[in-house]
Amino acid sequence: MSLEHILLGQLRQPSTGYELGKEFDDGAGHFWPAERSQIYPTLKKLEQKGWLTCSEQPSERGPRRKVYATTDAGFEELRKWLTEGPQIGRERLAYIAQVYYLGALDDFEAGLAMIRKMQARWRQSLALFEHIERAVVEESGDWQDLEPCDFFPRASLGTGLHLMRAKLAWCDETIQRLETRVGSAAATPAQEND
Amino acid sequence: MSLEHILLGQLRQPSTGYELGKEFDDGAGHFWPAERSQIYPTLKKLEQKGWLTCSEQPSERGPRRKVYATTDAGFEELRKWLTEGPQIGRERLAYIAQVYYLGALDDFEAGLAMIRKMQARWRQSLALFEHIERAVVEESGDWQDLEPCDFFPRASLGTGLHLMRAKLAWCDETIQRLETRVGSAAATPAQEND
DNA sequence: CAGATCATGTAATGCGTTACATGATTTC
DNA sequence: GAAATCATGTAACGCATTACATGATCTG
């Protein structure tokens, strides 16, 4: 329902599918992953709807590029999406499902292993977010001085941080409870990465 | 990638598509919403894969029902899903996107309105989760006494609680920051529901 | 007999993923 | 000339949503 809106949001400056694709690797990709194979056709669809215009331009380095820019109608659609109400309540969270059904294995140790792996992954994410936060704070200073265009991206980073810390707090709590349940040899450290 | 696994997890007891559909309204639906129109064909697919068996039975009240049960192969698939690693990292969180792009409106007040609506929704969810928790604690007592089949569902409820509280803490923090930014007439209370 | 509840589906459409195709330019 | 980077796509498939179809049984 929404790559369209993400792209409208991302296109504050005119840009190409290729560049937008790269932006998904770090920023927007954290809350809305997308592949270029989906981005290109979606841009075309947005153009057909009249929400973007496209101008072809030669590139200095490589083949011709299509530069897209938002139209008034496109901005209006973005505005609607940002005022009509929060998009909440249909998220699919596979990791919660995994925790929920872990009981089927009837094995605390297997569950403990799973949750330690989650902990390891989320620690990495938290470290990354904290790194980004430090960089952002250094660059644009304190909350009081921020314009909306800097305030809200920073606020969204804040959600990420709060969420990660909550997940890790839950991991700590749950791992502790599990460790009292599995016998003694429960010192297998978690390892694995993205 | 995963309604199949959710259904395998849900089918600890033999059950019908209709009943499974109802279960999604409260329990599993919180982390994995699904419609019956998707559940029925998916059950059929799982049967074809040999992960479920199906036996048709007359119903006391209404038409004949198809009762599905997990096979050994089905359980093996569930086991694999629960041990192969956490399903983390491709979640699409539209509400974070909305916060991120709110800057496009260049209007702190509009952002404040949006975040207050989020707060209202999440307060409802938190109240619901806390209600469920009280019921569960009353029914099955303290953590120490729980078997895996009760422990892990309860732990997953814990994630939900931690997550909701984190979201609300972020709302409080962000609303406060925004209130110092919008002038004086910023007392519009949030209202709206699911 | 009207309406609620039980019960199972199909069809059309849309969104997302994976794999593959193409080709220009720059750097080593 | 091989590899990296720039740049745009298509095709096949799978998963999810929406809307609609069908019909039995029970309750008032």
Side-chain angles (χ1 to χ4, degrees), chain A residues 2 5-10 12 24 27-35 38 75 78-79 81-108 110-112 114-115 117-118 121-122 125 142-160 162-163 166-167 169-170 173-174 177-178 180-181 192 194, chain B residues 2 5-10 12 24 27-35 38 75 78-79 81-108 110-112 114-115 117-118 121-122 125 142-160 162-163 166-167 169-170 173-174 177-178 180-181 192 194:
Chain A
S2 245
H5 293 110
I6 306 295
L7 289 173
L8 286 173
Q10 207 69 14
R12 304 228 47 200
F24 277 87
H30 284 123
F31 50 78
W32 204 277
E35 304 296 325
Q38 198 193 353
F75 183 77
L78 177 63
R79 202 195 53 76
W81 182 65
L82 291 172
T83 50
E84 264 180 355
Q87 303 284 303
I88 287 178
R90 307 279 305 174
E91 296 92 11
R92 267 148 238 270
L93 301 175
Y95 60 89
I96 300 192
Q98 288 181 309
V99 175
Y100 189 85
Y101 297 118
L102 267 174
L105 300 182
D106 195 39
D107 176 355
F108 283 120
L112 181 55
M114 174 81 255
I115 291 168
K117 283 184 210 157
M118 291 182 177
R121 293 276 289 272
W122 285 330
S125 297
D142 208 43
W143 286 98
Q144 284 96 48
D145 314 319
L146 299 180
E147 293 300 306
C149 65
D150 292 318
F151 181 96
F152 289 103
R154 185 130 140 209
S156 80
L157 178 59
T159 336
H162 273 78
L163 253 29
K167 287 171 187 171
W170 171 84
E173 181 188 306
T174 306
R177 282 188 184 128
L178 280 165
T180 69
R181 298 306 218 85
E192 190 191 335
D194 224 3
Chain B
S2 246
H5 293 111
I6 306 295
L7 289 173
L8 287 173
Q10 207 70 10
R12 304 229 45 201
F24 277 87
H30 285 123
F31 49 78
W32 203 276
E35 304 296 325
Q38 199 193 352
F75 182 78
L78 178 62
R79 202 196 54 74
W81 181 64
L82 291 172
T83 50
E84 265 180 356
Q87 304 283 302
I88 287 177
R90 306 279 303 175
E91 296 91 12
R92 267 148 239 271
L93 301 175
Y95 60 91
I96 301 190
Q98 287 180 310
V99 175
Y100 189 85
Y101 297 117
L102 267 175
L105 300 183
D106 196 38
D107 176 355
F108 283 120
L112 181 55
M114 174 82 256
I115 291 168
K117 283 183 210 158
M118 292 183 176
R121 294 276 289 270
W122 285 330
S125 296
D142 207 44
W143 286 99
Q144 283 96 49
D145 313 319
L146 300 180
E147 294 300 304
C149 63
D150 292 317
F151 182 97
F152 289 103
R154 183 130 140 209
S156 79
L157 178 59
T159 337
H162 273 78
L163 253 30
K167 286 170 188 172
W170 172 83
E173 181 188 307
T174 306
R177 283 188 185 127
L178 279 166
T180 69
R181 297 309 217 86
E192 190 190 335
D194 224 2

Side-chain angles (χ1 to χ4, degrees), chain B residues 27 36-37 45 56 59 65 73 87-88 92 103 106 136 171 190:
Chain B
R36 270 193 264 263
S37 59
K45 210 166 66 176
E56 245 172 88
S59 152
R65 17 188 276 145
Q87 304 283 302
I88 287 177
R92 267 148 239 271
D106 196 38
V136 169
C171 281

Side-chain angles (χ1 to χ4, degrees), chain A residues 41-114:
Chain A
T42 304
L43 287 169
K44 198 173 282 185
K45 210 166 66 176
L46 288 171
E47 194 193 351
Q48 277 159 15
K49 288 193 191 185
W51 294 346
L52 300 181
T53 53
C54 172
S55 76
E56 245 171 88
Q57 287 174 15
S59 152
E60 287 148 21
R61 179 198 189 83
R64 60 94 182 67
R65 17 187 275 145
K66 291 180 159 190
V67 179
Y68 289 93
T70 313
T71 64
D72 287 352
F75 183 77
E76 186 49 30
E77 177 59 31
L78 177 63
R79 202 195 53 76
K80 241 167 65 186
W81 182 65
L82 291 172
T83 50
E84 264 180 355
Q87 303 284 303
I88 287 178
R90 307 279 305 174
E91 296 92 11
R92 267 148 238 270
L93 301 175
Y95 60 89
I96 300 192
Q98 288 181 309
V99 175
Y100 189 85
Y101 297 118
L102 267 174
L105 300 182
D106 195 39
D107 176 355
F108 283 120
E109 207 140 346
L112 181 55
M114 174 81 255

